[in-house]
Amino acid sequence: DRRIVGLLNRRLSTVSQIGRVKAKLGLKSYSKSRTAEILRNIAAANRGPHTAAQLRRIYRAVVAASVELQDRQTAKRKR
């Protein structure tokens, strides 16, 4: 569990950096096509025991948390 938390925090740190770049470029935090790409990638990488549908549910939550983080960062910059 600690390893998973560490990996999630590392991912969110990267998401934060990407969010800053997106904000500078005037891009939105959420990209439907990028989310679809992520979901395809995790399904292709899956070797079980979880089904692709189970992993998609997990990753949708990860993507939602990522978008939320980027949105909070953008809101702070606008203040």
Side-chain angles (χ1 to χ4, degrees), residues 42-79:
I42 61 110
N46 183 29
R47 299 294 175 251
H50 291 295
T51 66
Q54 289 169 322
L55 287 177
R56 280 193 299 271
R57 282 195 301 275
I58 292 166
Y59 267 79
R60 281 190 184 104
V62 171
V63 168
S66 300
V67 170
E68 183 181 324
L69 174 62
Q70 289 179 349
D71 285 347
R72 280 196 322 261
Q73 288 177 322
T74 301
K76 283 182 183 178
R77 282 190 192 88
K78 289 182 180 180
R79 291 182 196 169

Side-chain angles (χ1 to χ4, degrees), residues 15-27 73 77:
V15 163
S16 179
Q17 293 171 14
I18 292 168
R20 284 192 287 274
V21 172
K22 285 180 176 180
K24 286 180 183 177
L25 297 174
L27 300 173
Q73 288 177 322
R77 282 190 192 88

